[in-house]
Amino acid sequence: MTNDSAQELRRAATLRQGIRRVAACAFTVNTLGINAILTAKRYGDHARGFGIISSELRHFSKALLVEMQVLTDLGMQLIREESNLLKRHRCMELLIRTEQASPHSGLQAVIQTLKSDDSLKMIELNKVNKQMHIALGNAFEICLFGSVIARSARIESAHANTQGDALTDAANDFAKQVDSILLSLETLKRALRINK
């Protein structure tokens, strides 16, 4: 029981690291968007569409950051719950050993109460996991939209004629970050599972 709780605590910590990676990439997209908007303004009318798309990518990154904050908060709650459960399991193991060494100690009622409380804690953990699934699904949908916008940035950079090189580099940077986010979200989806 303690090993399972420790493993779940490690899983929750791993989820938090993945969430931070996605948030860092989203922040990078926002920064790239600012730079791309400024670059597009320098190139004038030929790059106007690219500037608009860069602005949309900034909106995408901000929406994704909101979902990552939701996931961060839920991840913290998950770690708190798992930590508390791990402490309770260790306490219960000590109580069980003590009760086995001294059968008439009256600890059986305390052990049963702790076991009942554990069932309630598991229900709470499942609820947090389900909320994380929903938030992760939202983040994935936002990212799919971001992927479409990143592809549009590549198309718009091609329309910028001779200025296209700087804009093509920016479009490729957008695509690279969005692809990285999608991969990280896929990893998070695999890591996040609902407890039975």
Side-chain angles (χ1 to χ4, degrees):
M1 184 76 79
T2 302
N3 287 340
D4 290 344
S5 296
Q7 186 176 358
E8 286 300 308
L9 188 57
R10 282 190 295 277
R11 180 183 70 91
T14 301
L15 285 169
R16 288 224 33 234
Q17 289 172 349
I19 292 164
R20 276 192 231 123
R21 266 194 307 276
V22 172
C25 287
F27 182 78
T28 300
V29 169
N30 189 34
T31 304
L32 289 170
I34 293 169
N35 292 334
I37 290 167
L38 295 174
T39 302
K41 284 185 179 183
R42 277 199 310 265
Y43 293 132
D45 288 342
H46 291 293
R48 184 175 292 142
F50 190 83
I52 292 168
I53 288 173
S54 297
S55 180
E56 286 301 314
L57 279 162
R58 287 192 67 220
H59 292 301
F60 146 73
S61 71
K62 289 176 183 177
L64 187 59
L65 282 169
V66 167
E67 286 304 320
M68 290 302 102
Q69 185 59 54
V70 169
L71 280 165
T72 296
D73 294 344
L74 288 169
M76 299 255 312
Q77 184 179 352
L78 189 65
I79 287 174
R80 262 191 319 273
E81 295 291 337
E82 291 289 357
S83 294
N84 288 336
L85 199 57
L86 182 58
K87 288 177 195 172
R88 291 170 65 83
H89 287 171
R90 287 181 177 156
C91 180
M92 191 178 321
E93 285 177 359
L94 289 172
L95 288 171
I96 290 170
R97 276 192 248 141
T98 303
E99 204 274 329
Q100 288 171 345
S102 180
H104 302 293
S105 63
L107 292 176
Q108 192 60 35
V110 174
I111 293 168
Q112 290 299 38
T113 301
L114 284 174
K115 285 181 180 179
S116 297
D117 289 348
D118 274 357
S119 296
L120 296 174
K121 293 289 182 191
M122 291 306 292
I123 290 170
E124 186 62 32
L125 279 173
N126 283 335
K127 183 177 159 186
V128 173
N129 271 306
K130 287 176 185 177
Q131 289 171 332
M132 288 186 82
H133 270 277
I134 292 167
L136 189 57
N138 292 342
F140 198 77
E141 289 296 316
I142 290 167
C143 200
L144 289 177
F145 177 66
S147 180
V148 170
I149 299 170
R151 273 183 288 204
S152 298
R154 285 182 167 164
I155 293 167
E156 283 300 321
S157 70
H159 287 110
N161 297 330
T162 58
Q163 293 84 19
D165 289 343
L167 299 180
T168 298
D169 289 344
N172 288 335
D173 288 342
F174 281 136
K176 179 181 169 186
Q177 290 299 320
V178 173
D179 288 346
S180 177
I181 292 168
L182 279 169
L183 284 173
S184 292
L185 289 175
E186 284 294 337
T187 301
L188 285 171
K189 281 172 103 174
R190 283 191 301 273
L192 184 64
R193 63 194 187 292
I194 297 176
N195 294 331
K196 300 293 181 211

